[in-house]
Amino acid sequence: MTQMTFARAINAGLRKSLENDPKVILMGEDIGTLGGVFRVTDGLQKDFGKHRVVDTPLAESAIIGTAVGLAYRGYRPVVEIQFDGFIYPAFDQIVSQVAKLHYRTQGAVKMPITIRVPFGGGIGSPEHHSESPEAYFTHTSGLRVVSVSNPQDAHTVIQQAISCDDPVLYFEPKRRYHDKGEVDESLDPRTALPMDAARVLTQGTDVTLVAYGPLVKTALDAAIAAADEGVSIEVIDLRSLAPVDYATLEASVRKTGHLVITHEAGQSGGLGAEVAASITERCFYHLEAAPVRVTGFDIPYPYSKLEMHHLPGLDRILDGVDRALGRPNSLSGLEG
Amino acid sequence: MSTDEAGQGGPSSRGQGNSAEHHGGSGRSLIQLITPAGERISHPEFDPWLQDITDEHLCSLYEDMTVIRRIDVEATALQRQGELALWPPLLGQEASQIGSGRALRQDDFVFSSYRENGVAYCRGVDLTSIIRVWRGNASSGWNPYTINMATPQIIIGAQTLHATGYAMGIQNDGADAVAVTYFGDGATSEGDLNEAMVFAASFQAPVVFFCQNNHWAISEPVRLQSHVHLADRATGFGIPSLRVDGNDVLAVMAATRVALDRARRGGGPTFIEAVTYRMGPHTTADDPTRYRDANELEDWAAKDPIWRVKSLLERKGLLTEELQRHVDDKADSVAREMRLACTSLPEPEPLDVFKHVYSSPNTWLDRQQDHYSRYLASFGDPAGAPSEEGAR
Ligand SMILES: Cc1ncc(C[n+]2csc(CCOP(=O)(O)OP(=O)(O)O)c2C)c(N)n1
């Protein structure tokens, strides 16, 4: 076990993948000499060379589009999109090509591409640097979408993503990059919890609280605060946003009868809507109240002085828990 | 290797040769009217474009460049003191920005990136507007129509398409204004700029593509983006181009005037590559010592654009104590004003996040706003409510 920051844990995972498979190749803007704007790829070009860790020209569509060609040629490209808001120039290549080639070729062509995206807000950045674009990709069949929430998972899941034969969008919660945690580097990614499984982080009896990425920490803090108020919360780290591990969610909701889901992305068409609808279909008779979503607002990501209003914090999550439980809350007395 | 090619022309593992002109480019030299030593050299083709530039005019260019450097230094200091969230310095690019900015007419329209604070200054921007954004108090600083300059663009290259579209509109309207777009060397790799050039050429739109080749895109040298002079890229799209010493305010002004004139007369787009250098970090969050050789910076410091005009003024006997005092006072007062504006900006209101999402109200968002205001009210003290740790 080693204490490591989140960013370092991903770095160590990338290093292992580069060591274990000569077909793994890293590409992105500023990932070489600089080691990435968040230093996630620090030192890798120095150790693996310019042909394995490639500083690319400034062109996102080309970064993904050439990764498609490399995958055709048997490589396993791991690309970095510098910030969430810069993934859109590459959107066409991701949703029209990366996602569909396996299907279109009836399995003949594999697209084992990992797309690393630092995402989410809370770091006081200017516009386009704090977005949560995951729902665009969970809506696209053929893509796997994951988001990690702690250094150990970050370390393991990046290796699982790289060795997966499907394309994986790997969303890194950038406001947690400097958080430290224990990492067991000897953990074998092949026997670890698979990346498409959700994980129950705390056992609870009153409410199932589902979170992923940056909000897992907030959800855990909320569970501790709720326990002080006599409410028992079962926190689930979704981990895989596509496909969603509904079996784990269902089992929890059958027990608690209440579901709250939280994410930074806007509410409409967000993953919370999908989870709420699916759980309602599957567990209608076990639910004692309508599922509650605690999310960002349906607004463009606001300027940094106001971002803490947009982002669900501990109190807003607790307020959502109160709503789910019918306890006094900010909307008490209102219908719907 | 001529020093103006530092960072671009050096031997490259991927290059075909190691001369300064190894790019397979045109081999054309830079347009230069003032040498790095401050000597005015004549140029038969470009001098005619500067006939109206009097001594007084030259002094005012010196003043403008000094003022924007001062703004830049002050803003960097404000960031270091925690007053601004971030700042993208333009240090070293003063001649490119003032030379081109001062060539524009008020009815021309600018589409820039985040680094063109000097151009905004030429458009007559109120500095508070610039500061507001980098402090995190607003998403945009000014109303684009008040200074005929679009809100600065962070998505690399996106603004070049907007400029081309705006130029198509000018063309349809039968006007003789010009759309001018600013972008960096890195931006030339993006699809957007390449598509903008296709449209501009196809429709012969009155647009000027102004590339500030400051040699670096964060940590990536310009040779990673291009194996030819950036100006030569335009040629392939059928767009005439000029390659100008970007640290020479007169050369930049002359080149911009040539391009604007062509556009006004229906001659279509022009691409200008202003060869300059970013002497500071990419932004205040960047550490250039991780990727950049200190010697390179030294070479370019010797070609400082402000120092160059200053020596020219000296040679001409124009740099009086009085002028210097006037310029320094102006820079001081502008910087003071900006600092005051920064520290006295009012905090935005929480519910402002819901404003302007749509041009008219809709029940969908109104409901979210209503719920959030009830939530804030449930705390009694709304200021204390939203934090990651919670207040409850
Ligand atoms: C589409 C997109 N990709 C990546 C970025 C991140 N980024 C911001 S500035 C920059 C470098 C830009 O270099 P250049 O175009 O040369 O302009 P300069 O900053 O040097 O003026 C990068 C990669 C971005 N803002 N937009």
Side-chain angles (χ1 to χ4, degrees), chain A residues 30 34 42 56 58 60 175-176 218 229 268 297-298 303-305 308-309 314-316 322 334 336, chain B residues 136-137 139 189-190 218-220 225 290 347 349-350 364 367-368 372 374-375 386 388-392:
Chain A
D30 301 295
L34 187 66
D42 202 12
T56 66
L58 223 174
E60 289 75 12
R175 70 165 131 147
R176 307 288 183 216
T218 318
E229 297 176 7
S268 301
F297 303 120
D298 289 330
Y303 37 92
S304 59
K305 287 260 161 130
M308 280 306 167
H309 288 280
L314 186 150
D315 287 322
R316 256 174 84 197
D322 289 340
L334 283 184
Chain B
N137 286 49
S139 327
S189 296
E190 290 281 3
I218 309 189
S219 73
E220 304 190 335
Q225 317 289 339
R290 285 182 77 104
E347 289 296 299
E349 291 296 324
W364 188 17
R367 185 171 182 269
Q368 289 186 12
Y372 191 58
R374 284 168 196 273
Y375 168 79
E388 230 201 308
E389 296 76 34
R392 182 162 139 169

Side-chain angles (χ1 to χ4, degrees), chain B residues 33-34 40 49-70 90 93-104 118-119 121-123 246-257 304-313 316 318-319 323-324 326-328 330-331:
Chain B
L33 301 178
I34 314 173
R40 177 75 167 87
W49 293 92
L50 297 172
Q51 271 168 0
D52 59 324
I53 301 296
T54 58
D55 286 352
E56 204 184 331
H57 208 135
L58 201 58
C59 294
S60 80
L61 292 174
Y62 173 60
E63 174 190 305
D64 286 347
M65 289 164 70
T66 308
V67 170
I68 64 162
R69 176 166 296 183
R70 188 55 194 278
L90 58 78
Q93 301 179 220
E94 294 87 354
S96 289
Q97 298 202 12
I98 295 299
S100 60
R102 283 290 177 231
L104 307 182
V119 178
Y121 178 74
C122 294
R123 304 307 281 163
N247 284 12
D248 172 348
V249 71
L250 290 184
V252 172
M253 180 175 274
T256 311
R257 284 176 165 187
D304 188 304
I306 298 187
W307 191 82
R308 193 181 300 198
V309 199
K310 191 174 172 175
S311 355
L312 176 60
L313 292 177
K316 290 177 138 244
L318 296 168
L319 192 73
L323 173 67
Q324 191 59 54
H326 163 77
V327 167
D328 290 343
K330 171 84 188 218

